[in-house]
PDB file of all heavy atoms in Angstrom:
ATOM      1  N   ASP A   1     -83.090  -8.929 -30.977  1.00  0.00           N
ATOM      2  CA  ASP A   1     -82.786  -8.377 -32.298  1.00  0.00           C
ATOM      3  C   ASP A   1     -81.624  -7.391 -32.219  1.00  0.00           C
ATOM      4  O   ASP A   1     -80.703  -7.410 -33.038  1.00  0.00           O
ATOM      5  CB  ASP A   1     -84.031  -7.699 -32.871  1.00  0.00           C
ATOM      6  CG  ASP A   1     -83.843  -7.262 -34.319  1.00  0.00           C
ATOM      7  OD1 ASP A   1     -83.404  -8.093 -35.126  1.00  0.00           O
ATOM      8  OD2 ASP A   1     -84.118  -6.102 -34.638  1.00  0.00           O
ATOM      9  N   GLY A   2     -81.667  -6.518 -31.204  1.00  0.00           N
ATOM     10  CA  GLY A   2     -80.590  -5.553 -31.026  1.00  0.00           C
ATOM     11  C   GLY A   2     -79.286  -6.215 -30.638  1.00  0.00           C
ATOM     12  O   GLY A   2     -78.211  -5.841 -31.128  1.00  0.00           O
ATOM     13  N   ALA A   3     -79.373  -7.210 -29.746  1.00  0.00           N
ATOM     14  CA  ALA A   3     -78.165  -7.921 -29.316  1.00  0.00           C
ATOM     15  C   ALA A   3     -77.544  -8.690 -30.473  1.00  0.00           C
ATOM     16  O   ALA A   3     -76.306  -8.738 -30.611  1.00  0.00           O
ATOM     17  CB  ALA A   3     -78.506  -8.883 -28.172  1.00  0.00           C
ATOM     18  N   TYR A   4     -78.397  -9.268 -31.332  1.00  0.00           N
ATOM     19  CA  TYR A   4     -77.882  -9.991 -32.490  1.00  0.00           C
ATOM     20  C   TYR A   4     -77.147  -9.032 -33.433  1.00  0.00           C
ATOM     21  O   TYR A   4     -76.095  -9.362 -33.970  1.00  0.00           O
ATOM     22  CB  TYR A   4     -79.011 -10.694 -33.233  1.00  0.00           C
ATOM     23  CG  TYR A   4     -78.537 -11.414 -34.481  1.00  0.00           C
ATOM     24  CD1 TYR A   4     -77.889 -12.644 -34.373  1.00  0.00           C
ATOM     25  CD2 TYR A   4     -78.705 -10.858 -35.742  1.00  0.00           C
ATOM     26  CE1 TYR A   4     -77.427 -13.297 -35.503  1.00  0.00           C
ATOM     27  CE2 TYR A   4     -78.255 -11.505 -36.875  1.00  0.00           C
ATOM     28  CZ  TYR A   4     -77.614 -12.729 -36.745  1.00  0.00           C
ATOM     29  OH  TYR A   4     -77.147 -13.362 -37.869  1.00  0.00           O
ATOM     30  N   SER A   5     -77.701  -7.835 -33.620  1.00  0.00           N
ATOM     31  CA  SER A   5     -77.051  -6.836 -34.463  1.00  0.00           C
ATOM     32  C   SER A   5     -75.699  -6.436 -33.883  1.00  0.00           C
ATOM     33  O   SER A   5     -74.720  -6.262 -34.616  1.00  0.00           O
ATOM     34  CB  SER A   5     -77.939  -5.587 -34.602  1.00  0.00           C
ATOM     35  OG  SER A   5     -79.140  -5.893 -35.273  1.00  0.00           O
ATOM     36  N   LEU A   6     -75.646  -6.303 -32.551  1.00  0.00           N
ATOM     37  CA  LEU A   6     -74.396  -5.921 -31.896  1.00  0.00           C
ATOM     38  C   LEU A   6     -73.354  -7.029 -32.020  1.00  0.00           C
ATOM     39  O   LEU A   6     -72.179  -6.768 -32.317  1.00  0.00           O
ATOM     40  CB  LEU A   6     -74.665  -5.619 -30.416  1.00  0.00           C
ATOM     41  CG  LEU A   6     -73.541  -4.923 -29.654  1.00  0.00           C
ATOM     42  CD1 LEU A   6     -73.252  -3.559 -30.258  1.00  0.00           C
ATOM     43  CD2 LEU A   6     -73.915  -4.777 -28.181  1.00  0.00           C
ATOM     44  N   VAL A   7     -73.781  -8.270 -31.817  1.00  0.00           N
ATOM     45  CA  VAL A   7     -72.867  -9.407 -31.962  1.00  0.00           C
ATOM     46  C   VAL A   7     -72.402  -9.534 -33.410  1.00  0.00           C
ATOM     47  O   VAL A   7     -71.221  -9.776 -33.682  1.00  0.00           O
ATOM     48  CB  VAL A   7     -73.546 -10.716 -31.500  1.00  0.00           C
ATOM     49  CG1 VAL A   7     -72.703 -11.931 -31.872  1.00  0.00           C
ATOM     50  CG2 VAL A   7     -73.776 -10.686 -29.995  1.00  0.00           C
ATOM     51  N   SER A   8     -73.320  -9.343 -34.349  1.00  0.00           N
ATOM     52  CA  SER A   8     -72.969  -9.410 -35.769  1.00  0.00           C
ATOM     53  C   SER A   8     -71.950  -8.338 -36.127  1.00  0.00           C
ATOM     54  O   SER A   8     -71.020  -8.576 -36.906  1.00  0.00           O
ATOM     55  CB  SER A   8     -74.219  -9.230 -36.647  1.00  0.00           C
ATOM     56  OG  SER A   8     -75.108 -10.298 -36.460  1.00  0.00           O
ATOM     57  N   LEU A   9     -72.123  -7.154 -35.538  1.00  0.00           N
ATOM     58  CA  LEU A   9     -71.182  -6.057 -35.780  1.00  0.00           C
ATOM     59  C   LEU A   9     -69.791  -6.431 -35.290  1.00  0.00           C
ATOM     60  O   LEU A   9     -68.793  -6.259 -36.009  1.00  0.00           O
ATOM     61  CB  LEU A   9     -71.675  -4.795 -35.062  1.00  0.00           C
ATOM     62  CG  LEU A   9     -70.722  -3.608 -35.028  1.00  0.00           C
ATOM     63  CD1 LEU A   9     -70.419  -3.119 -36.436  1.00  0.00           C
ATOM     64  CD2 LEU A   9     -71.318  -2.475 -34.195  1.00  0.00           C
ATOM     65  N   PHE A  10     -69.718  -6.961 -34.088  1.00  0.00           N
ATOM     66  CA  PHE A  10     -68.433  -7.365 -33.525  1.00  0.00           C
ATOM     67  C   PHE A  10     -67.783  -8.466 -34.364  1.00  0.00           C
ATOM     68  O   PHE A  10     -66.588  -8.416 -34.670  1.00  0.00           O
ATOM     69  CB  PHE A  10     -68.630  -7.850 -32.084  1.00  0.00           C
ATOM     70  CG  PHE A  10     -67.419  -8.528 -31.499  1.00  0.00           C
ATOM     71  CD1 PHE A  10     -66.288  -7.810 -31.183  1.00  0.00           C
ATOM     72  CD2 PHE A  10     -67.421  -9.901 -31.273  1.00  0.00           C
ATOM     73  CE1 PHE A  10     -65.169  -8.438 -30.652  1.00  0.00           C
ATOM     74  CE2 PHE A  10     -66.323 -10.537 -30.748  1.00  0.00           C
ATOM     75  CZ  PHE A  10     -65.187  -9.809 -30.426  1.00  0.00           C
ATOM     76  N   LEU A  11     -68.591  -9.436 -34.773  1.00  0.00           N
ATOM     77  CA  LEU A  11     -68.061 -10.553 -35.550  1.00  0.00           C
ATOM     78  C   LEU A  11     -67.652 -10.116 -36.953  1.00  0.00           C
ATOM     79  O   LEU A  11     -66.718 -10.670 -37.534  1.00  0.00           O
ATOM     80  CB  LEU A  11     -69.098 -11.675 -35.633  1.00  0.00           C
ATOM     81  CG  LEU A  11     -69.428 -12.355 -34.293  1.00  0.00           C
ATOM     82  CD1 LEU A  11     -70.492 -13.417 -34.491  1.00  0.00           C
ATOM     83  CD2 LEU A  11     -68.187 -12.969 -33.671  1.00  0.00           C
ATOM     84  N   THR A  12     -68.331  -9.096 -37.498  1.00  0.00           N
ATOM     85  CA  THR A  12     -67.929  -8.559 -38.797  1.00  0.00           C
ATOM     86  C   THR A  12     -66.552  -7.925 -38.705  1.00  0.00           C
ATOM     87  O   THR A  12     -65.705  -8.091 -39.592  1.00  0.00           O
ATOM     88  CB  THR A  12     -68.948  -7.507 -39.289  1.00  0.00           C
ATOM     89  OG1 THR A  12     -70.199  -8.149 -39.514  1.00  0.00           O
ATOM     90  CG2 THR A  12     -68.492  -6.864 -40.596  1.00  0.00           C
ATOM     91  N   LEU A  13     -66.302  -7.196 -37.608  1.00  0.00           N
ATOM     92  CA  LEU A  13     -64.993  -6.588 -37.401  1.00  0.00           C
ATOM     93  C   LEU A  13     -63.907  -7.663 -37.272  1.00  0.00           C
ATOM     94  O   LEU A  13     -62.802  -7.505 -37.790  1.00  0.00           O
ATOM     95  CB  LEU A  13     -65.018  -5.704 -36.143  1.00  0.00           C
ATOM     96  CG  LEU A  13     -65.931  -4.479 -36.206  1.00  0.00           C
ATOM     97  CD1 LEU A  13     -65.941  -3.751 -34.858  1.00  0.00           C
ATOM     98  CD2 LEU A  13     -65.495  -3.535 -37.311  1.00  0.00           C
ATOM     99  N   VAL A  14     -64.251  -8.751 -36.591  1.00  0.00           N
ATOM    100  CA  VAL A  14     -63.309  -9.874 -36.478  1.00  0.00           C
ATOM    101  C   VAL A  14     -63.030 -10.469 -37.853  1.00  0.00           C
ATOM    102  O   VAL A  14     -61.887 -10.779 -38.202  1.00  0.00           O
ATOM    103  CB  VAL A  14     -63.868 -10.966 -35.530  1.00  0.00           C
ATOM    104  CG1 VAL A  14     -62.982 -12.207 -35.560  1.00  0.00           C
ATOM    105  CG2 VAL A  14     -63.963 -10.429 -34.115  1.00  0.00           C
ATOM    106  N   SER A  15     -64.075 -10.603 -38.662  1.00  0.00           N
ATOM    107  CA  SER A  15     -63.936 -11.175 -39.999  1.00  0.00           C
ATOM    108  C   SER A  15     -63.070 -10.293 -40.901  1.00  0.00           C
ATOM    109  O   SER A  15     -62.240 -10.782 -41.653  1.00  0.00           O
ATOM    110  CB  SER A  15     -65.324 -11.359 -40.642  1.00  0.00           C
ATOM    111  OG  SER A  15     -66.086 -12.273 -39.909  1.00  0.00           O
ATOM    112  N   VAL A  16     -63.302  -8.976 -40.829  1.00  0.00           N
ATOM    113  CA  VAL A  16     -62.514  -8.052 -41.643  1.00  0.00           C
ATOM    114  C   VAL A  16     -61.038  -8.118 -41.244  1.00  0.00           C
ATOM    115  O   VAL A  16     -60.143  -8.113 -42.096  1.00  0.00           O
ATOM    116  CB  VAL A  16     -63.045  -6.609 -41.494  1.00  0.00           C
ATOM    117  CG1 VAL A  16     -62.106  -5.610 -42.163  1.00  0.00           C
ATOM    118  CG2 VAL A  16     -64.434  -6.493 -42.106  1.00  0.00           C
ATOM    119  N   ALA A  17     -60.786  -8.208 -39.932  1.00  0.00           N
ATOM    120  CA  ALA A  17     -59.406  -8.317 -39.457  1.00  0.00           C
ATOM    121  C   ALA A  17     -58.773  -9.614 -39.942  1.00  0.00           C
ATOM    122  O   ALA A  17     -57.607  -9.641 -40.361  1.00  0.00           O
ATOM    123  CB  ALA A  17     -59.380  -8.252 -37.926  1.00  0.00           C
ATOM    124  N   ALA A  18     -59.553 -10.694 -39.914  1.00  0.00           N
ATOM    125  CA  ALA A  18     -59.044 -11.983 -40.386  1.00  0.00           C
ATOM    126  C   ALA A  18     -58.755 -11.945 -41.883  1.00  0.00           C
ATOM    127  O   ALA A  18     -57.754 -12.487 -42.356  1.00  0.00           O
ATOM    128  CB  ALA A  18     -60.054 -13.087 -40.078  1.00  0.00           C
ATOM    129  N   ALA A  19     -59.652 -11.294 -42.635  1.00  0.00           N
ATOM    130  CA  ALA A  19     -59.465 -11.182 -44.076  1.00  0.00           C
ATOM    131  C   ALA A  19     -58.202 -10.385 -44.392  1.00  0.00           C
ATOM    132  O   ALA A  19     -57.440 -10.715 -45.312  1.00  0.00           O
ATOM    133  CB  ALA A  19     -60.676 -10.504 -44.714  1.00  0.00           C
ATOM    134  N   SER A  20     -57.955  -9.312 -43.610  1.00  0.00           N
ATOM    135  CA  SER A  20     -56.741  -8.513 -43.804  1.00  0.00           C
ATOM    136  C   SER A  20     -55.504  -9.348 -43.522  1.00  0.00           C
ATOM    137  O   SER A  20     -54.491  -9.236 -44.215  1.00  0.00           O
ATOM    138  CB  SER A  20     -56.773  -7.285 -42.888  1.00  0.00           C
ATOM    139  OG  SER A  20     -57.878  -6.461 -43.182  1.00  0.00           O
ATOM    140  N   TYR A  21     -55.596 -10.203 -42.515  1.00  0.00           N
ATOM    141  CA  TYR A  21     -54.462 -11.066 -42.177  1.00  0.00           C
ATOM    142  C   TYR A  21     -54.185 -12.065 -43.293  1.00  0.00           C
ATOM    143  O   TYR A  21     -53.034 -12.332 -43.641  1.00  0.00           O
ATOM    144  CB  TYR A  21     -54.760 -11.809 -40.868  1.00  0.00           C
ATOM    145  CG  TYR A  21     -53.682 -12.792 -40.477  1.00  0.00           C
ATOM    146  CD1 TYR A  21     -52.504 -12.358 -39.887  1.00  0.00           C
ATOM    147  CD2 TYR A  21     -53.851 -14.166 -40.701  1.00  0.00           C
ATOM    148  CE1 TYR A  21     -51.509 -13.261 -39.543  1.00  0.00           C
ATOM    149  CE2 TYR A  21     -52.869 -15.066 -40.351  1.00  0.00           C
ATOM    150  CZ  TYR A  21     -51.698 -14.610 -39.773  1.00  0.00           C
ATOM    151  OH  TYR A  21     -50.722 -15.506 -39.436  1.00  0.00           O
ATOM    152  N   ILE A  22     -55.257 -12.606 -43.884  1.00  0.00           N
ATOM    153  CA  ILE A  22     -55.096 -13.575 -44.957  1.00  0.00           C
ATOM    154  C   ILE A  22     -54.418 -12.937 -46.166  1.00  0.00           C
ATOM    155  O   ILE A  22     -53.565 -13.539 -46.818  1.00  0.00           O
ATOM    156  CB  ILE A  22     -56.464 -14.160 -45.365  1.00  0.00           C
ATOM    157  CG1 ILE A  22     -57.006 -15.052 -44.247  1.00  0.00           C
ATOM    158  CG2 ILE A  22     -56.359 -14.970 -46.654  1.00  0.00           C
ATOM    159  CD1 ILE A  22     -58.415 -15.562 -44.497  1.00  0.00           C
ATOM    160  N   HIS A  23     -54.785 -11.690 -46.475  1.00  0.00           N
ATOM    161  CA  HIS A  23     -54.249 -11.006 -47.652  1.00  0.00           C
ATOM    162  C   HIS A  23     -52.904 -10.330 -47.400  1.00  0.00           C
ATOM    163  O   HIS A  23     -52.274  -9.855 -48.332  1.00  0.00           O
ATOM    164  CB  HIS A  23     -55.246  -9.953 -48.147  1.00  0.00           C
ATOM    165  CG  HIS A  23     -56.383 -10.534 -48.929  1.00  0.00           C
ATOM    166  ND1 HIS A  23     -56.208 -11.177 -50.119  1.00  0.00           N
ATOM    167  CD2 HIS A  23     -57.714 -10.578 -48.662  1.00  0.00           C
ATOM    168  CE1 HIS A  23     -57.382 -11.590 -50.577  1.00  0.00           C
ATOM    169  NE2 HIS A  23     -58.312 -11.240 -49.700  1.00  0.00           N
ATOM    170  N   LYS A  24     -52.504 -10.250 -46.139  1.00  0.00           N
ATOM    171  CA  LYS A  24     -51.264  -9.550 -45.807  1.00  0.00           C
ATOM    172  C   LYS A  24     -50.062 -10.270 -46.423  1.00  0.00           C
ATOM    173  O   LYS A  24     -49.878 -11.463 -46.241  1.00  0.00           O
ATOM    174  CB  LYS A  24     -51.097  -9.495 -44.285  1.00  0.00           C
ATOM    175  CG  LYS A  24     -49.893  -8.676 -43.840  1.00  0.00           C
ATOM    176  CD  LYS A  24     -49.830  -8.634 -42.316  1.00  0.00           C
ATOM    177  CE  LYS A  24     -48.633  -7.818 -41.853  1.00  0.00           C
ATOM    178  NZ  LYS A  24     -48.550  -7.769 -40.372  1.00  0.00           N
ATOM    179  N   PRO A  25     -49.230  -9.537 -47.189  1.00  0.00           N
ATOM    180  CA  PRO A  25     -48.061 -10.173 -47.817  1.00  0.00           C
ATOM    181  C   PRO A  25     -47.039 -10.618 -46.778  1.00  0.00           C
ATOM    182  O   PRO A  25     -46.811  -9.938 -45.775  1.00  0.00           O
ATOM    183  CB  PRO A  25     -47.504  -9.058 -48.715  1.00  0.00           C
ATOM    184  CG  PRO A  25     -48.089  -7.797 -48.215  1.00  0.00           C
ATOM    185  CD  PRO A  25     -49.359  -8.124 -47.525  1.00  0.00           C
ATOM    186  N   ARG A  26     -46.430 -11.757 -47.027  1.00  0.00           N
ATOM    187  CA  ARG A  26     -45.457 -12.316 -46.093  1.00  0.00           C
ATOM    188  C   ARG A  26     -44.216 -12.789 -46.835  1.00  0.00           C
ATOM    189  O   ARG A  26     -44.306 -13.341 -47.925  1.00  0.00           O
ATOM    190  CB  ARG A  26     -46.051 -13.520 -45.327  1.00  0.00           C
ATOM    191  CG  ARG A  26     -47.255 -13.188 -44.498  1.00  0.00           C
ATOM    192  CD  ARG A  26     -47.904 -14.452 -43.960  1.00  0.00           C
ATOM    193  NE  ARG A  26     -49.019 -14.112 -43.103  1.00  0.00           N
ATOM    194  CZ  ARG A  26     -50.201 -13.730 -43.551  1.00  0.00           C
ATOM    195  NH1 ARG A  26     -50.418 -13.685 -44.838  1.00  0.00           N
ATOM    196  NH2 ARG A  26     -51.159 -13.412 -42.721  1.00  0.00           N
ATOM    197  N   LYS A  27     -43.078 -12.585 -46.227  1.00  0.00           N
ATOM    198  CA  LYS A  27     -41.829 -13.089 -46.809  1.00  0.00           C
ATOM    199  C   LYS A  27     -41.703 -14.592 -46.585  1.00  0.00           C
ATOM    200  O   LYS A  27     -41.258 -15.332 -47.441  1.00  0.00           O
ATOM    201  CB  LYS A  27     -40.637 -12.364 -46.172  1.00  0.00           C
ATOM    202  CG  LYS A  27     -40.567 -10.885 -46.520  1.00  0.00           C
ATOM    203  CD  LYS A  27     -39.337 -10.242 -45.904  1.00  0.00           C
ATOM    204  CE  LYS A  27     -39.252  -8.759 -46.274  1.00  0.00           C
ATOM    205  NZ  LYS A  27     -38.068  -8.094 -45.660  1.00  0.00           N
ATOM    206  N   ASN A  28     -42.109 -15.027 -45.404  1.00  0.00           N
ATOM    207  CA  ASN A  28     -42.057 -16.460 -45.076  1.00  0.00           C
ATOM    208  C   ASN A  28     -43.421 -16.906 -44.553  1.00  0.00           C
ATOM    209  O   ASN A  28     -43.615 -17.058 -43.351  1.00  0.00           O
ATOM    210  CB  ASN A  28     -40.980 -16.743 -44.019  1.00  0.00           C
ATOM    211  CG  ASN A  28     -39.600 -16.383 -44.505  1.00  0.00           C
ATOM    212  OD1 ASN A  28     -39.178 -16.818 -45.570  1.00  0.00           O
ATOM    213  ND2 ASN A  28     -38.881 -15.571 -43.722  1.00  0.00           N
ATOM    214  N   PRO A  29     -44.391 -17.065 -45.442  1.00  0.00           N
ATOM    215  CA  PRO A  29     -45.745 -17.426 -45.005  1.00  0.00           C
ATOM    216  C   PRO A  29     -45.799 -18.790 -44.337  1.00  0.00           C
ATOM    217  O   PRO A  29     -45.162 -19.737 -44.781  1.00  0.00           O
ATOM    218  CB  PRO A  29     -46.543 -17.420 -46.305  1.00  0.00           C
ATOM    219  CG  PRO A  29     -45.532 -17.663 -47.375  1.00  0.00           C
ATOM    220  CD  PRO A  29     -44.263 -17.019 -46.902  1.00  0.00           C
ATOM    221  N   SER A  30     -46.571 -18.848 -43.283  1.00  0.00           N
ATOM    222  CA  SER A  30     -46.770 -20.117 -42.583  1.00  0.00           C
ATOM    223  C   SER A  30     -48.054 -20.755 -43.093  1.00  0.00           C
ATOM    224  O   SER A  30     -49.139 -20.245 -42.879  1.00  0.00           O
ATOM    225  CB  SER A  30     -46.857 -19.881 -41.069  1.00  0.00           C
ATOM    226  OG  SER A  30     -47.250 -21.059 -40.413  1.00  0.00           O
ATOM    227  N   ALA A  31     -47.931 -21.878 -43.792  1.00  0.00           N
ATOM    228  CA  ALA A  31     -49.092 -22.540 -44.395  1.00  0.00           C
ATOM    229  C   ALA A  31     -50.128 -22.925 -43.350  1.00  0.00           C
ATOM    230  O   ALA A  31     -51.322 -22.756 -43.546  1.00  0.00           O
ATOM    231  CB  ALA A  31     -48.639 -23.781 -45.160  1.00  0.00           C
ATOM    232  N   ILE A  32     -49.654 -23.418 -42.217  1.00  0.00           N
ATOM    233  CA  ILE A  32     -50.583 -23.882 -41.188  1.00  0.00           C
ATOM    234  C   ILE A  32     -51.353 -22.705 -40.598  1.00  0.00           C
ATOM    235  O   ILE A  32     -52.564 -22.742 -40.448  1.00  0.00           O
ATOM    236  CB  ILE A  32     -49.814 -24.636 -40.080  1.00  0.00           C
ATOM    237  CG1 ILE A  32     -49.175 -25.898 -40.655  1.00  0.00           C
ATOM    238  CG2 ILE A  32     -50.744 -24.982 -38.930  1.00  0.00           C
ATOM    239  CD1 ILE A  32     -48.372 -26.692 -39.648  1.00  0.00           C
ATOM    240  N   ASN A  33     -50.651 -21.602 -40.279  1.00  0.00           N
ATOM    241  CA  ASN A  33     -51.309 -20.459 -39.663  1.00  0.00           C
ATOM    242  C   ASN A  33     -52.348 -19.836 -40.589  1.00  0.00           C
ATOM    243  O   ASN A  33     -53.459 -19.537 -40.168  1.00  0.00           O
ATOM    244  CB  ASN A  33     -50.277 -19.401 -39.267  1.00  0.00           C
ATOM    245  CG  ASN A  33     -49.441 -19.839 -38.080  1.00  0.00           C
ATOM    246  OD1 ASN A  33     -49.855 -20.713 -37.339  1.00  0.00           O
ATOM    247  ND2 ASN A  33     -48.277 -19.254 -37.907  1.00  0.00           N
ATOM    248  N   ILE A  34     -51.986 -19.625 -41.860  1.00  0.00           N
ATOM    249  CA  ILE A  34     -52.904 -18.997 -42.800  1.00  0.00           C
ATOM    250  C   ILE A  34     -54.121 -19.886 -43.035  1.00  0.00           C
ATOM    251  O   ILE A  34     -55.254 -19.426 -43.095  1.00  0.00           O
ATOM    252  CB  ILE A  34     -52.195 -18.705 -44.139  1.00  0.00           C
ATOM    253  CG1 ILE A  34     -51.068 -17.693 -43.907  1.00  0.00           C
ATOM    254  CG2 ILE A  34     -53.173 -18.157 -45.156  1.00  0.00           C
ATOM    255  CD1 ILE A  34     -50.238 -17.430 -45.144  1.00  0.00           C
ATOM    256  N   THR A  35     -53.892 -21.171 -43.180  1.00  0.00           N
ATOM    257  CA  THR A  35     -54.976 -22.109 -43.446  1.00  0.00           C
ATOM    258  C   THR A  35     -55.980 -22.159 -42.299  1.00  0.00           C
ATOM    259  O   THR A  35     -57.184 -22.296 -42.526  1.00  0.00           O
ATOM    260  CB  THR A  35     -54.413 -23.528 -43.669  1.00  0.00           C
ATOM    261  OG1 THR A  35     -53.461 -23.478 -44.710  1.00  0.00           O
ATOM    262  CG2 THR A  35     -55.511 -24.499 -44.032  1.00  0.00           C
ATOM    263  N   LYS A  36     -55.503 -22.015 -41.069  1.00  0.00           N
ATOM    264  CA  LYS A  36     -56.380 -22.182 -39.911  1.00  0.00           C
ATOM    265  C   LYS A  36     -57.063 -20.898 -39.456  1.00  0.00           C
ATOM    266  O   LYS A  36     -57.939 -20.946 -38.585  1.00  0.00           O
ATOM    267  CB  LYS A  36     -55.587 -22.781 -38.750  1.00  0.00           C
ATOM    268  CG  LYS A  36     -55.188 -24.229 -38.995  1.00  0.00           C
ATOM    269  CD  LYS A  36     -54.633 -24.881 -37.753  1.00  0.00           C
ATOM    270  CE  LYS A  36     -54.363 -26.371 -37.993  1.00  0.00           C
ATOM    271  NZ  LYS A  36     -53.884 -27.055 -36.787  1.00  0.00           N
ATOM    272  N   VAL A  37     -56.702 -19.754 -40.053  1.00  0.00           N
ATOM    273  CA  VAL A  37     -57.332 -18.499 -39.653  1.00  0.00           C
ATOM    274  C   VAL A  37     -58.837 -18.535 -39.923  1.00  0.00           C
ATOM    275  O   VAL A  37     -59.656 -18.226 -39.050  1.00  0.00           O
ATOM    276  CB  VAL A  37     -56.698 -17.299 -40.392  1.00  0.00           C
ATOM    277  CG1 VAL A  37     -57.541 -16.041 -40.173  1.00  0.00           C
ATOM    278  CG2 VAL A  37     -55.284 -17.060 -39.887  1.00  0.00           C
ATOM    279  N   GLU A  38     -59.197 -18.930 -41.153  1.00  0.00           N
ATOM    280  CA  GLU A  38     -60.608 -18.929 -41.537  1.00  0.00           C
ATOM    281  C   GLU A  38     -61.466 -19.833 -40.664  1.00  0.00           C
ATOM    282  O   GLU A  38     -62.463 -19.378 -40.089  1.00  0.00           O
ATOM    283  CB  GLU A  38     -60.754 -19.313 -43.008  1.00  0.00           C
ATOM    284  CG  GLU A  38     -62.199 -19.394 -43.458  1.00  0.00           C
ATOM    285  CD  GLU A  38     -62.328 -19.925 -44.877  1.00  0.00           C
ATOM    286  OE1 GLU A  38     -61.361 -19.839 -45.643  1.00  0.00           O
ATOM    287  OE2 GLU A  38     -63.406 -20.436 -45.200  1.00  0.00           O
ATOM    288  N   PRO A  39     -61.155 -21.129 -40.512  1.00  0.00           N
ATOM    289  CA  PRO A  39     -62.005 -21.989 -39.675  1.00  0.00           C
ATOM    290  C   PRO A  39     -62.031 -21.568 -38.212  1.00  0.00           C
ATOM    291  O   PRO A  39     -63.045 -21.757 -37.534  1.00  0.00           O
ATOM    292  CB  PRO A  39     -61.394 -23.383 -39.851  1.00  0.00           C
ATOM    293  CG  PRO A  39     -60.019 -23.149 -40.355  1.00  0.00           C
ATOM    294  CD  PRO A  39     -60.084 -21.909 -41.171  1.00  0.00           C
ATOM    295  N   MET A  40     -60.927 -20.984 -37.720  1.00  0.00           N
ATOM    296  CA  MET A  40     -60.905 -20.521 -36.325  1.00  0.00           C
ATOM    297  C   MET A  40     -61.904 -19.382 -36.127  1.00  0.00           C
ATOM    298  O   MET A  40     -62.643 -19.352 -35.132  1.00  0.00           O
ATOM    299  CB  MET A  40     -59.494 -20.069 -35.937  1.00  0.00           C
ATOM    300  CG  MET A  40     -58.517 -21.209 -35.698  1.00  0.00           C
ATOM    301  SD  MET A  40     -56.835 -20.633 -35.386  1.00  0.00           S
ATOM    302  CE  MET A  40     -57.056 -19.765 -33.846  1.00  0.00           C
TER     303      MET A  40
END
C-alpha cells in the first residue's frame, strides 16, 4: 500500500510534467512529438 502510494506520487509528478509540456506554447510545434507524449 505504501509502495503503491510512492509510485503513484512519482507517476503523478511525471504526468504533471507531461501536461505542462503539452500546454507549453511553441513557435514551431512538432505534431509527432506532442501527439506521442501522452501515450508514452
